[in-house]
């Protein structure tokens, strides 16, 4: 193990465990002692309707109503495009869309007033069908090789459909933002968020102030997982508009029901896959990928890009044609969630490969192994796998952990009795950092180190600690290079008034990309270090030389400079009487390069692994025929507890990346992606395999098992 | 004294609000005890967990009338104890604190277990923590930290 990997006590440990950390809902007053007004949103009751009128109850002194007419700048939130309004326009496009906000000093009074608001609607037929939806926000096509010829010459052609459902991030701290007008006329916005500069751009535009007119601080944030990438920009604009109108600090914190129902989640998907097989080898893939984007485009463009680039999985398939559409429906806009489009397509290709192998009568592990991409092979976008692909060695490691190969064959034989077992396997990558040239062309990250006269050093960057530990790992890198005790290097929560834009806290990029900037800055600071004076060093992102430029219009080039890899195995026992699926063990090998702190990385792997298993099994969320999400509480939307997967084992495999700090690659998202297909393969195997029960969708719960078994003809 | 009198982190207090007020709101808003978090307000997540006479309870589902004459402990009180220090060190050694939102509740859930079962098995720890949702860690680090604390703090519980 490298020195840098040795685990240290996290810098925010004491404050968090002692209950001293201040999350946005914890400020009793503002820092300057002002009372904070409570803001609550009026959410649309219909999936599509014209809003004819909003009638308010009489508002007591000190209570204010805010809507789009109060937006001093632009009522469009700047995300990727700008179709998302701050407050709704003439029509509402999904149930829950914010119409306006009621603001006042007493929460109980605001609640009462809210109950008295009457909104008159003229309802319009909503579009709620992913399969038949025709309005696509984004429609991408790419491929390579001669797909038609490969299908024409195939021994056999396979076609199948795969479905995945919503998944909610379910960070334990709900969404919350606060805005405070400052003496100098600036608007100070802070809260639970991942990307201070995204919020900065959005709020400046909504208030019409220009960038100097606002500054954004990330408060201590109780989890994000992608859910606090785009949404805080919207809520941030709403509280800023309310604070602008009232001239007073305004805070809005969602309750759990609002959060589950009305905030972004993972895109449901429908993938139609077609594979050509000749001489026992896959020769062509045609993938038609549809994501349910919801009512506004928010992050769907980039989520879909990552999803379709991963359409062939980690397999080397010579002829590929992919289409991807983000379909507009009148439902809550979907956004970012750990994995960012890739879990959906990896689920499809992994299940498809399992089914083709079963049809060919070969063990699916062997079949997949025959198709693993290798270093130097072409990627789906005609880039290259520039670095070694460690999957075969990782497969052996997982095999050693749980006798994967032996059990995979044994459980594939016919089983009888009430309890039946299965074990599933998956192998996936996660492209490290932004897709394509975003890092070079759009983000252009800058990070700084400021050394004070007393010899302490401050990291200046805009990446938020959302639990993944950058408040510890960033200083760790800097203290390592400067040979300073860790106490002398600090990283505060970023405030855009103080820190440069080192980019958002997304895409598993913070440590790999910004961490490397800080490492280089620290080396330069070491070289120019002078005792007793203040010094500053700045570093800018440079794309590594080996990267084949990526062209988004053709989906050509290196979509990612490198990849993190994982192999997962999940062993289950299905009770054929109750449908209950017990996870006997979940095993994973994860290559995220060098861990810059082993415990922190293992914590990411274990946490993501369990979220992936939840996604595959119990985390079910659906909307009804009116477009309303029914699973809006922890009673109806179940996430795993400490008892659900008692045996979850994550191991690290290290394939160093020369352009990441000490060899580190992106880590956070990887562990979620592989478990779902491994889980479903295990359940399918326990039920007797594809010929008896062909499974093609997640989540797959006990109810689904029972319904499926009831189909069985004795 | 008037109102509903109870012990809060070792001090006797009398609350003069309504008996129907929610303990969670009163702890956070009136007594400024912000370690007690709100994750759902429906008794489903454990972020608001406190000890009442040593028993783990979700403060969002407790009315003030029900705490009259009882002893309420939050992390603000518990963090002064030796037991807390052992737990905190065990959590730190495994980096078991990620976003931190579940952690005050988790620590009190651990205390509630260890005071009745100083040497629990892993399964007992998992069961004792199962009312507290943690979305970040996958639970392994937290469970192992509690097991380690039980060993390290031998004799404290
Ligand atoms: S806030 Fe009380 S259990 Fe969730
Ligand atoms: S540490 Fe984030 S919920 Fe437990």
């Amino acid at each position: 193990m490298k020195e840098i990997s040795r685990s240290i006590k996290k810098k925010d440990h004491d404050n968090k465990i002692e209950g001293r950390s201040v999350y946005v809902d914890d400020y009793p007053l503002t820092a300057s002692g002002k009372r904070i007004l409570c803001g609550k949103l009026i959410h649309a009751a219909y999936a599509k309707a014209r809003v004819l009128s909003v009638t308010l109850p009489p508002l007591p002194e000190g209570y204010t109503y805010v809507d789009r007419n109060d937006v001093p700048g632009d009522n469009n939130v700047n995300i990727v495009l700008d179709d998302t309004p701050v407050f709704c326009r003439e029509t509402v496009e999904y149930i829950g869309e914010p119409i306006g906000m009621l603001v006042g000093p007493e929460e109980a009074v605001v609640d009462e007033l809210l109950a008295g608001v009457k909104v008159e609607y003229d309802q319009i037929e909503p579009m709620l069908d992913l399969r038949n939806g025709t309005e696509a926000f984004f429609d991408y096509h790419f491929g390579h090789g001669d797909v038609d010829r490969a299908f024409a010459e195939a021994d056999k052609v396979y076609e199948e459909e795969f479905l995945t459902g919503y998944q909610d991030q379910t960070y334990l701290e709900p969404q919350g933002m606060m805005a405070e007008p400052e003496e100098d006329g600036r608007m100070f916005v802070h809260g639970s968020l991942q990307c201070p500069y995204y919020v900065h751009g959005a709020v400046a535009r909504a208030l019409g102030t220009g960038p100097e007119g606002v500054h954004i601080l990330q408060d201590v944030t109780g989890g994000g997982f992608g859910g606090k990438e785009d949404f805080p920009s919207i809520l941030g604009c709403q509280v800023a508009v309310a604070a602008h109108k009232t001239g007073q600090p305004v805070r809005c914190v969602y309750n759990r029901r609002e959060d589950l129902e009305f905030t972004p989640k993972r895109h449901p998907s429908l993938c139609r896959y077609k594979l050509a097989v000749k001489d026992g080898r896959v020769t062509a893939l045609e993938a038609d990928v549809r994501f349910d984007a919801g009512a506004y485009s928010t992050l769907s463009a980039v989520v879909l890009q990552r999803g379709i680039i991963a359409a062939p999985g980690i397999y080397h398939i010579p002829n590929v044609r992919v289409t991807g559409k983000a379909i507009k429906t009148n439902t809550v806009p979907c956004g970012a969630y750990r994995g960012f489009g890739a879990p959906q397509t990896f689920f499809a290709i992994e299940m498809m490969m399992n089914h083709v192998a079963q049809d060919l009568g070969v063990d699916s592990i062997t079949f997949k192994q025959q198709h693993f991409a290798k270093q130097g092979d072409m990627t789906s976008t005609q880039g290259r796998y520039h670095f070694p692909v460690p999957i075969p060695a990782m497969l052996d490691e997982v095999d050693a952990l749980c006798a994967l190969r032996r059990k995979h064959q044994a459980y594939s034989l016919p089983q009888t009795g009430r309890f039946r077992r299965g074990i599933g396997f998956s192998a996936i990558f996660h492209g490290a950092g932004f897709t394509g040239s975003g890092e070079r062309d759009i983000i252009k990250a800058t990070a700084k180190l400021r050394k004070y006269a007393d010899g302490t050093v401050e990291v200046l960057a805009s990446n938020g600690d959302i639990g993944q530990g950058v408040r510890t790992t960033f200083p760790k890198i800097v203290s390592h290079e400067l040979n300073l005790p860790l106490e002398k290097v600090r990283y505060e929560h970023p405030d855009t008034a103080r820190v440069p834009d080192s980019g958002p806290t997304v895409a598993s990029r913070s440590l790999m990309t910004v961490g490397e900037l800080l490492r280089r800055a620290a080396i330069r600071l070491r070289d120019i270090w002078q005792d007793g004076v203040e010094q500053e060093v700045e570093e800018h992102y440079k794309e590594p030389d080996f990267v084949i430029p990526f062209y988004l219009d053709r989906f050509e080039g290196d979509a990612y400079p490198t990849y993190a890899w994982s192999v997962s195995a999940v062993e289950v026992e299905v009770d054929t009487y109750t449908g209950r699926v017990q996870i006997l063990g979940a095993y994973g090998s994860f290559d995220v390069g060098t861990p810059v702190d082993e415990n922190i990385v293992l914590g990411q792997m274990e946490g993501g692994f369990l979220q992936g298993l939840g996604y595959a099994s119990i985390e079910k969320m659906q909307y009804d025929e009116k477009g309303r999400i029914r699973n809006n509480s922890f009673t109806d939307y179940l996430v795993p507890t400490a008892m659900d997967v008692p045996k979850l084992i994550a191991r690290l495999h290290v394939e160093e990346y020369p352009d990441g700090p000490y060899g580190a690659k992106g880590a956070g998202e990887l562990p979620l992606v592989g478990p779902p297909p491994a889980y479903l393969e295990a359940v399918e195997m326990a039920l007797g395999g594809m010929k008896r029960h062909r499974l093609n969708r997640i989540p797959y719960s006990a109810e689904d098992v029972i319904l499926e078994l009831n189909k069985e003809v004795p | 004294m008037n109102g509903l009198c109870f012990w809060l982190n070792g001090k006797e207090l009398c609350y003069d609000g309504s008996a129907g007020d929610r303990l969670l709101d009163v702890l956070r808003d009136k007594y400024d005890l912000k370690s007690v978090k709100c994750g759902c307000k429906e008794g489903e997540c454990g972020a608001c967990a406190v000890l009442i006479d040593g028993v783990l309870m979700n403060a969002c589902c407790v009315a003030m009338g029900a705490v009259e004459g009882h002893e309420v402990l939050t992390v603000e009180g518990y963090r002064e104890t030796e037991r807390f220090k052992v737990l905190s060190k065990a959590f730190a050694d495994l980096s078991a604190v990620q976003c931190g939102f579940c952690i005050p509740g988790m620590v009190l859930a651990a205390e509630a277990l260890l005071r009745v079962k100083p040497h629990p098995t892993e399964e007992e720890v998992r069961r004792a923590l199962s009312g507290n949702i943690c979305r970040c860690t996958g639970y392994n680090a937290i469970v192992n930290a509690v097991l380690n604390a039980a060993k390290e703090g031998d004799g404290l519980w």
Side-chain angles (χ1 to χ4, degrees):
Chain A
M1 187 171 63
K2 282 193 169 176
E3 177 60 29
I4 192 79
S5 304
R6 207 176 302 274
S7 299
I8 56 170
K9 181 173 167 182
K10 289 180 77 180
K11 286 211 164 217
D12 52 358
H13 173 84
D14 287 336
N15 275 344
K16 281 181 171 169
I17 201 165
E18 289 170 11
R20 295 181 207 270
S21 293
V22 182
Y23 299 78
V24 65
D25 199 23
D26 296 340
Y27 294 96
L29 301 165
T30 68
S32 53
K34 289 214 189 87
R35 178 161 199 172
I36 303 161
L37 301 184
C38 164
K40 297 213 177 186
L41 289 160
I42 298 158
H43 295 285
Y46 298 102
K48 191 165 173 74
R50 226 175 308 284
V51 178
L52 302 176
S53 66
V54 177
T55 313
L56 302 171
L59 297 184
E61 168 94 36
Y63 289 80
T64 313
Y65 171 71
V66 183
D67 68 12
R68 70 172 184 277
N69 300 311
D70 301 303
V71 177
D74 185 349
N75 188 42
N76 301 309
V77 185
N78 185 227
I79 303 177
V80 174
L81 303 179
D82 53 10
D83 56 320
T84 310
V86 177
F87 292 106
C88 79
R89 306 188 182 96
E90 287 76 19
T91 64
V92 288
E93 299 288 324
Y94 67 96
I95 291 182
E97 180 165 357
I99 295 173
M101 184 183 266
L102 275 172
V103 180
E106 292 296 336
E107 180 176 359
V109 177
V110 174
D111 278 333
E112 231 168 85
L113 293 172
L114 209 55
V117 175
K118 298 245 172 335
V119 183
E120 212 188 328
Y121 299 94
D122 180 10
Q123 288 186 58
I124 304 168
E125 190 61 36
M127 168 65 218
L128 297 168
D129 183 357
L130 170 63
R131 186 179 294 271
N132 297 310
T134 50
E135 188 179 346
F137 286 121
F138 307 98
D139 186 352
Y140 299 127
H141 307 259
F142 71 94
H144 55 80
D146 192 342
V147 175
D148 294 328
R149 179 157 166 202
F151 276 107
E153 290 175 357
D155 296 336
K156 195 159 177 184
V157 172
Y158 296 87
E159 275 190 77
E160 205 171 343
E161 218 176 78
F162 300 94
L163 295 151
T164 64
Y166 276 131
Q167 186 183 20
D168 187 84
Q169 297 85 355
T170 318
Y171 29 70
L172 205 54
E173 178 206 24
Q175 302 272 3
M177 293 292 288
M178 179 162 151
E180 309 178 22
E182 292 185 324
E183 305 269 289
D184 61 7
R186 286 192 303 175
M187 187 62 76
F188 174 37
V189 177
H190 57 100
S192 189
L193 57 93
Q194 297 180 212
C195 312
Y197 272 96
Y198 283 2
V199 181
H200 191 115
V203 173
R205 177 166 172 174
L207 295 184
T209 60
E212 323 70 40
V214 303
H215 67 114
I216 315 296
L217 166 79
Q218 184 219 12
D219 284 315
V220 180
T221 295
F225 317 113
K228 293 169 183 170
E229 174 172 348
D230 61 352
F231 190 79
S233 296
I234 306 169
L235 190 57
C237 287
Q238 291 158 350
V239 289
V241 169
H244 175 83
K245 179 167 183 180
T246 57
Q248 294 179 65
V250 175
R251 169 170 55 200
C252 178
V253 177
Y254 268 41
N255 66 41
R256 183 59 65 183
R257 286 184 181 241
E258 282 179 295
D259 198 298
L260 282 169
E261 234 182 302
F262 306 143
T263 71
K265 26 205 122 273
R266 189 183 307 292
H267 293 69
S269 73
L270 163 63
C271 292
R272 295 194 190 92
Y273 268 51
K274 201 168 140 189
L275 280 188
V277 173
K278 188 164 177 65
D279 303 328
R281 291 286 186 281
V282 177
T283 52
L285 162 72
E286 195 172 311
D288 172 17
V289 177
R290 291 168 85 85
F291 281 2
D292 188 341
Y296 296 109
S297 69
T298 62
L299 293 164
S300 289
V302 266
V303 172
L304 179 64
Q305 288 163 21
R306 190 178 278 274
I308 59 179
I309 287 167
I314 65 163
Y315 305 111
H316 181 68
I317 301 175
N319 305 288
V320 169
R321 180 154 64 216
V322 182
T323 61
K325 287 192 174 76
I327 302 293
K328 172 173 175 165
T329 60
N330 291 106
T331 58
V332 61
C334 287
Y337 186 171
R338 201 175 203 169
F340 210 70
Q344 291 93 321
T345 46
F346 272 111
F347 172 71
I349 186 69
E350 287 295 285
M351 290 307 294
M352 184 90 194
M353 292 293 278
N354 295 339
H355 290 166
V356 173
Q358 284 181 59
D359 184 74
L360 295 173
V362 266
D363 183 83
S364 63
I365 300 177
T366 312
F367 184 65
K368 288 176 176 177
Q369 199 157 9
Q370 289 164 345
H371 293 83
F372 287 160
K374 297 178 304 300
Q375 180 175 22
D377 279 352
M378 195 167 83
T379 66
S380 70
T381 57
Q382 303 177 63
R384 287 284 175 279
Y385 294 106
H386 294 280
F387 301 100
V389 176
I391 290 285
M394 294 166 71
L395 171 56
D396 290 343
E397 284 158 22
V398 169
D399 189 48
L401 275 178
C402 65
L404 168 64
R405 289 189 178 95
R406 181 177 60 73
K407 287 178 182 167
H408 200 263
Q409 290 187 351
Y411 297 160
S412 293
L413 301 174
Q415 299 180 50
T416 53
R418 174 171 166 180
F419 297 96
R420 301 178 201 171
R421 291 189 173 189
I423 194 164
F425 153 81
S426 72
I428 60 100
F429 64 63
H430 195 74
F434 269 98
T435 299
S437 54
E439 198 71 67
R440 184 193 66 202
D441 298 343
I442 302 167
I443 302 300
K444 302 182 179 127
T446 302
K448 275 190 200 173
L449 291 178
R450 183 176 297 147
K451 184 203 130 212
Y452 294 93
D454 65 0
T456 61
V457 176
E458 183 177 4
V459 173
L460 297 172
S462 62
N463 303 93
D465 197 314
I466 51 175
Q468 89 286 40
V470 292
R471 280 193 79 183
T472 303
T473 48
F474 280 5
K476 191 180 185 189
I477 289 172
V478 173
S479 79
H480 182 82
E481 288 304 331
L482 291 172
N483 229 327
L484 278 180
L486 192 69
E487 309 80 70
K488 296 216 165 195
V489 185
R490 65 177 203 277
Y491 182 37
E492 304 297 347
H493 282 267
D495 181 333
T496 57
R498 299 190 64 238
V499 303
D501 188 356
S502 61
T505 314
V506 302
S508 309
R509 67 180 282 281
S510 299
L511 197 279
M512 177 181 85
T513 304
V514 183
E516 173 63 10
L517 295 183
L518 293 170
R519 190 187 70 87
R520 297 205 312 247
I523 291 171
R524 278 179 45 215
L525 179 58
R526 189 175 66 203
D527 290 344
I528 60 165
W529 185 283
Q530 273 180 289
D531 284 332
V533 294
E534 218 179 286
Q535 291 175 290
E536 212 172 79
V537 179
E538 185 174 290
E539 277 286 329
H540 301 274
Y541 176 78
K542 279 189 276 312
E543 191 168 74
D545 292 336
F546 65 82
V547 169
I548 303 168
F550 185 80
Y551 297 96
L552 185 61
D553 51 342
R554 311 197 295 274
F555 278 80
E556 247 178 68
D558 279 331
Y560 308 97
T562 190
Y563 298 83
W565 303 92
S566 89
V567 168
S568 311
V570 179
E571 185 178 5
V572 304
E573 183 171 82
V574 177
D575 181 343
T576 55
Y577 192 63
T578 64
R580 179 160 183 254
V581 180
Q582 204 190 333
I583 297 179
L584 301 175
Y587 312 86
S589 174
F590 301 97
D591 165 34
V592 298
T594 306
V596 177
D597 200 292
E598 203 176 10
N599 278 346
I600 286 179
V601 170
L602 276 173
Q604 288 295 298
M605 298 306 113
E606 292 166 353
F609 202 156
L610 192 60
Q611 287 184 4
L613 292 170
Y615 179 39
S617 57
I618 55 174
E619 294 187 30
K620 189 171 258 187
M621 181 177 273
Q622 287 168 317
Y623 50 78
D624 64 14
E625 70 293 341
K626 295 202 166 73
R628 176 176 290 283
I629 286 177
R630 309 305 312 193
N631 319 68
N632 67 355
S633 72
F634 284 149
T635 320
D636 295 318
Y637 184 70
L638 305 178
V639 297
T641 70
M643 285 174 68
D644 288 315
V645 192
K647 191 167 185 192
L648 181 148
I649 298 175
R651 290 286 151 80
L652 302 180
H653 179 104
V654 178
E655 188 63 52
E656 294 187 10
Y657 172 50
D659 287 81
Y662 315 102
K665 305 189 271 202
E669 295 169 279
L670 174 78
L672 191 146
V673 183
Y679 173 85
L680 200 68
E681 186 194 5
V683 175
E684 185 182 80
M685 189 181 284
L687 297 184
M690 165 188 97
K691 297 219 166 85
R692 297 186 70 145
H693 298 284
R694 178 192 290 262
L695 308 189
N696 66 350
R697 66 189 159 88
I698 49 167
Y700 211 81
S701 64
E703 289 80 8
D704 294 303
V705 172
I706 286 296
L707 289 173
E708 182 65 34
L709 285 172
N710 284 347
K711 285 194 218 155
E712 194 158 307
V713 195
Chain B
M1 281 198 267
N2 285 322
L4 302 161
C5 299
F6 66 110
W7 293 81
L8 179 56
N9 292 331
K11 267 202 261 90
E12 194 174 13
L13 295 170
C14 295
Y15 177 68
D16 55 12
S18 149
D21 287 352
R22 206 187 279 266
L23 176 60
L24 169 64
D25 298 335
V26 173
L27 292 176
R28 285 182 57 84
D29 300 341
K30 173 143 177 101
Y31 299 114
D32 204 27
L33 298 172
K34 305 292 193 187
S35 77
V36 190
K37 302 294 182 208
C38 176
C40 69
K41 249 189 193 184
E42 301 188 343
E44 296 281 358
C45 76
C48 65
V50 298
L51 297 185
I52 300 182
D53 299 338
V55 178
L56 192 71
M57 299 278 223
N58 289 328
C60 66
C61 292
V62 175
M64 283 308 292
V67 303
E68 187 173 27
H70 294 278
E71 228 173 281
V72 177
L73 185 72
T74 72
V75 162
E76 284 83 351
Y78 187 56
R79 70 190 176 204
E80 306 302 330
T81 64
E82 275 312 302
R83 291 174 175 186
F84 172 81
K85 283 175 193 137
V86 171
L87 276 167
S88 176
K89 164 119 191 0
F91 273 61
D93 287 345
L94 295 180
S95 307
V97 177
Q98 291 193 23
C99 83
F101 208 74
C102 71
I103 294 295
M106 283 289 182
V107 167
L108 292 175
E111 163 65 21
L113 168 70
L114 294 175
R115 66 195 298 153
V116 295
K117 191 102 209 192
H119 298 288
T121 62
E122 177 179 337
E123 205 195 317
E124 286 166 335
V125 173
R126 287 188 178 271
R127 188 172 297 279
L129 302 182
S130 66
N132 295 67
I133 292 175
C134 173
R135 191 57 156 168
C136 297
T137 62
Y139 303 103
N140 282 4
I142 293 177
V143 170
N144 289 329
V146 174
L147 289 168
N148 290 347
K151 266 187 242 132
E152 287 296 314
D154 195 18
L156 277 177
W157 280 281

